[in-house]
Amino acid sequence: MEELLARIAECVEVGKISKATPYPPTMKGMDGAEELTLQALDAGIAPSDILTRGLIAGMEKIGVKFKNNQVFVPQVLMSAKAMSIAMKHLKQFFNDGSVQRRGQFIIGTVEGDLHDIGKNLVAMMVEGNGYEVIDLGVDVKTEQFIDAVKAHPGAYVGMSALLTTTMVNMEQINAALKQEFPHIVTFIGGAPVTQEFAQKIGADYYTDGPQELVEILNRISA
Ligand code: B12
């Protein structure tokens, strides 16, 4: 069992999706995250162990490497793909409640902004670390964020912006969220965003990448 979970973690870390996918070349023809997850389920390993000790363990490793500039966006996207294909087979266990999520995280790129690569990366990393992600997409207006929190009380909210002209929209969205839901915890990020800006607009947290965000989420939701 330990060996199977370690192999699942490795597949996520290196982005080995399934037997059929050629990446990484050193693992060509070998079982990937998909086959190994199915084998683990067949072997009776608890879905929660597959998630936390297999998939999430692998995602944590790639997250740390990304933070330390040891890997770059394409590798993280491969890891996220390996993770999501395995998650497809675990979804039913989340839906019937036998596996608990760590929390809910609403994310969107703010009004006027269509950049979504970074936002998607953050969403995948957060999901990969055991949270349910409600992705509102791009060009998300204040009302959409508010409606999403109404539909998911207690969820954390993340906002992304890549333009100096759209990051200012975060201020209004954040203020409206704080007014409507005084206990809400908000995160902001994106290339032009800074810690000082987060402080200025009253957002709770700024991080420059997904790994730091996940570390904060794990801390505050523990
Ligand atoms: C790809 C890209 C595009 C693509 C977007 C495709 C897509 N589906 O996203 C297209 C071609 C559509 C595009 C359009 C435009 N773009 Co553009 N684009 C880029 C580019 C090259 C890369 C952005 C990217 O994806 N980076 C990779 C990701 C992984 O990084 P990231 O987004 O920063 O995300 C990381 C962190 O910021 C953080 N993060 C991100 N979101 C969040 C959220 C939270 C909560 C947290 C905690 C963290 C976090 O985590 C991520 C992972 O580490 C940048 C230049 C650059 N090098 O940044 C310009 C750039 C952002 N674009 C720019 C501009 C000007 C535009 C346009 C206005 C161009 C035009 N004249 O039409 C339009 C705007 C359209 C619109 N309304 O949004 C400028 C912005 C300048 C500025 N300071 O405002 C840039 C900087 C290019 C430049 N040097 O001029 N763009």
Side-chain angles (χ1 to χ4, degrees):
M1 161 172 164
E2 293 305 323
E3 198 219 322
L4 203 45
L5 292 175
R7 285 173 69 200
I8 292 173
E10 189 197 354
C11 284
V12 171
E13 185 184 350
V14 302
K16 177 70 179 165
I17 301 169
S18 67
K19 196 169 188 159
T21 52
Y23 181 85
T26 48
M27 292 177 81
K28 202 171 166 201
M30 290 164 70
D31 285 340
E34 178 162 40
E35 291 80 13
L36 294 173
T37 297
L38 289 171
Q39 287 168 28
L41 286 170
D42 276 352
I45 299 178
S48 55
D49 282 333
I50 301 175
L51 178 71
T52 52
R53 293 164 62 196
L55 303 171
I56 292 180
M59 211 60 179
E60 278 171 358
K61 285 194 180 152
I62 194 82
V64 172
K65 284 187 174 170
F66 184 56
K67 179 174 158 184
N68 296 333
N69 293 323
Q70 291 167 301
V71 297
F72 300 97
V73 172
Q75 285 108 314
V76 180
L77 292 177
M78 294 306 281
S79 292
K81 278 197 176 147
M83 172 99 194
S84 38
I85 201 143
M87 290 284 282
K88 248 184 20 197
H89 301 291
L90 295 183
K91 274 257 149 76
Q92 53 177 308
F93 302 102
F94 293 123
N95 294 342
D96 73 9
S98 56
V99 176
Q100 289 295 318
R101 301 273 197 167
R102 286 175 161 173
Q104 292 181 316
F105 188 78
I106 295 165
I107 191 166
T109 303
V110 300
E111 180 166 9
D113 201 319
L114 303 176
H115 294 85
D116 68 359
I117 298 169
K119 184 265 296 169
N120 292 345
L121 199 61
V122 170
M124 287 187 279
M125 290 290 284
V126 172
E127 183 172 36
N129 278 277
Y131 295 81
E132 181 185 351
V133 171
I134 298 100
D135 187 344
L136 304 179
V138 296
D139 192 19
V140 182
K141 295 161 187 63
T142 307
E143 274 313 309
Q144 292 171 270
F145 278 106
I146 288 183
D147 288 348
V149 181
K150 280 186 185 152
H152 304 278
Y156 305 105
V157 174
M159 292 166 252
S160 179
L162 262 286
L163 300 171
T164 44
T165 49
T166 57
M167 68 185 250
V168 292
N169 296 334
M170 289 173 158
E171 181 162 9
Q172 193 215 324
I173 297 169
N174 191 71
L177 285 169
K178 291 277 178 189
Q179 191 183 344
E180 187 97 8
F181 314 101
H183 299 295
I184 196 151
V185 179
T186 56
F187 294 80
I188 62 170
V193 180
T194 61
Q195 180 65 46
E196 294 75 58
F197 182 70
Q199 259 154 11
K200 177 175 165 274
I201 70 167
D204 294 295
Y205 295 100
Y206 157 79
T207 73
D208 67 356
Q211 183 59 23
E212 298 89 331
L213 165 64
V214 165
E215 285 164 14
I216 295 170
L217 281 176
N218 290 347
R219 205 175 63 230
I220 64 178
S221 63

